[in-house]
Amino acid sequence: MRRVLARFGRRSALGFPAPDLALAGLLCAIAVTSALTGNPSEGPLALTLPVAAISTLALVWRRRLPLLMIALIVVAGLTQTLLSQDPGSLWSLVVYAIAMYSLAAWSSEPTAAVGGGVFVAALLFEEGFRGGVDQVFILLLFGSVWLLGRAARSWRGRVSLAERRQQEAAQLATAEERLRIARDLHDVIAHSLGAIAVQADAAEAALHVAPERAVAPVRAIRETARSSLAEIRLVLDQLRAEEVIPAPSLGDIRALVEDAEGSGMTVSLTMPPDVSRIPAEVGNAGYRIVQESLTNARRHAPGTAVDVSVHVDAASVVIRVANARPSPAPASDDPSPLRLAPGHGLSGMRERVRELDGRLEAGPTAEGGFAVHAILPFPGSPA
């Protein structure tokens, strides 16, 4: 039933909201019936029938043009008052109350104030023109209805503002999630393609000297491709899954180092045996920093030894990845050597560290190598 009413409330006909048309039609039927039956008798039918129709049908403009609605009702009421007697039936009281509420609820404050003052003045004139004494009742009733309409407008504005803020927060969360997934995909693809490129070079070199030695690099290429595809599927599944899929953590760094060693790198790892208590966001950031650092070492300093150190204290995780000085690149006979364009690895690291309010230092070492030093504080802990 609630869904049916909600759908009806959103519908429109002839350019007017369906609820307003229904309300005006219902009140028009009641008012016309009252005029036709003469109950109560307020003048000739040629006068009361048009007044009843105009006063009630004016409510179709209660949201779109509240001032036009008020003008039509005031003109109709004053016409009947001057030519016969002021409208005093129950339906007219209901129409006037709805009109005052609508004016206050769907108009700006200056418009509502001026329109409400004119409307009340017209009602007071209609009441006093034939010697009526209900002016205080009119002031209290329609003043209260006006205040109720303004309160409804204020509440509606707060609800709309809350909805807009909720939509903006959802859009921001979506953008942040897309950025995180983009960084994860970058790290996975850069790491796997770097390993594949190194193994492809080794396989090519072995084919010219000892073809049987090319088997191991080719197998490593196959395993790297399979594992990277599996990780890419895991990242993409997070876009479709309703539940959160666990992301890599600090404990997965050991497997990351083993894969790097399997691709021909020399990597030493220093890390506590138990890192299960590390918060998930910190563990994932640490894993991605180590992954990107190994990728950069393989890419820019192939053949050098890499030292990975992970230290955990009470409030943070400290990661350092350093490689030795790279050997000079041998001369190549290839007329079009592969040139690796600058990537987004370091910027991605900085974004991850910044999200955790941590610190990141990356640059050459005194020995001519390169080191990445990151401090990742736990949530709620100072960096």
Side-chain angles (χ1 to χ4, degrees), residues 180-213:
R180 183 191 68 79
I181 292 175
R183 287 199 303 259
D184 287 351
L185 285 175
H186 168 271
D187 294 345
V188 172
I189 294 173
H191 178 76
S192 58
L193 290 183
I196 289 173
V198 170
Q199 293 298 332
D201 290 341
E204 183 182 15
L207 286 174
H208 296 291
V209 181
E212 67 279 0
R213 294 173 57 186

Side-chain angles (χ1 to χ4, degrees), residues 59-228:
L59 293 179
V60 297
W61 282 286
R62 72 184 197 91
R63 296 192 223 189
R64 295 179 57 188
L65 297 171
L67 281 181
L68 175 60
M69 169 196 66
I70 292 295
L72 291 174
I73 293 175
V74 168
V75 169
L78 288 177
T79 299
Q80 180 169 322
T81 300
L82 294 174
L83 298 180
S84 179
Q85 65 180 62
D86 62 296
S89 58
L90 180 60
W91 67 261
S92 63
L93 181 62
V94 172
V95 169
Y96 291 170
I98 294 176
M100 177 63 86
Y101 172 87
S102 302
L103 174 70
W106 297 98
S107 302
S108 63
E109 187 167 354
T111 301
V114 173
V118 171
F119 191 27
V120 169
L123 294 179
L124 292 176
F125 174 80
E126 292 176 9
E127 179 67 19
F129 186 73
R130 301 294 180 183
V133 294
D134 290 334
Q135 287 83 358
V136 175
F137 170 76
I138 291 175
L139 288 173
L140 291 177
L141 174 62
F142 290 97
S144 300
V145 171
W146 188 90
L147 291 175
L148 182 62
R150 296 307 300 171
R153 180 179 176 86
S154 176
W155 175 82
R156 191 170 60 249
R158 289 195 297 269
V159 171
S160 299
L161 179 61
E163 290 177 349
R164 286 196 301 270
R165 288 179 176 175
Q166 186 177 8
Q167 292 174 355
E168 292 172 356
Q171 292 173 353
L172 179 61
T174 300
E176 292 177 348
E177 182 66 10
R178 288 177 177 173
L179 178 61
R180 183 191 68 79
I181 292 175
R183 287 199 303 259
D184 287 351
L185 285 175
H186 168 271
D187 294 345
V188 172
I189 294 173
H191 178 76
S192 58
L193 290 183
I196 289 173
V198 170
Q199 293 298 332
D201 290 341
E204 183 182 15
L207 286 174
H208 296 291
V209 181
E212 67 279 0
R213 294 173 57 186
V215 175
V218 171
R219 288 177 177 173
I221 290 174
R222 180 185 62 194
E223 295 302 323
T224 301
R226 287 178 175 176
S227 62
S228 62

Side-chain angles (χ1 to χ4, degrees), residues 46 103 235 241 303 323 383:
L103 174 70
V235 174
N323 59 267

Side-chain angles (χ1 to χ4, degrees), residues 249-251 272 274-286 310-318 376-379:
S249 62
L250 281 184
D274 183 15
V275 290
S276 58
R277 69 180 183 88
I278 305 300
E281 59 271 28
V282 176
N284 180 250
V310 180
H311 174 71
V312 180
D313 57 29
S316 64
V317 173
V318 181
L376 309 177
F378 296 160

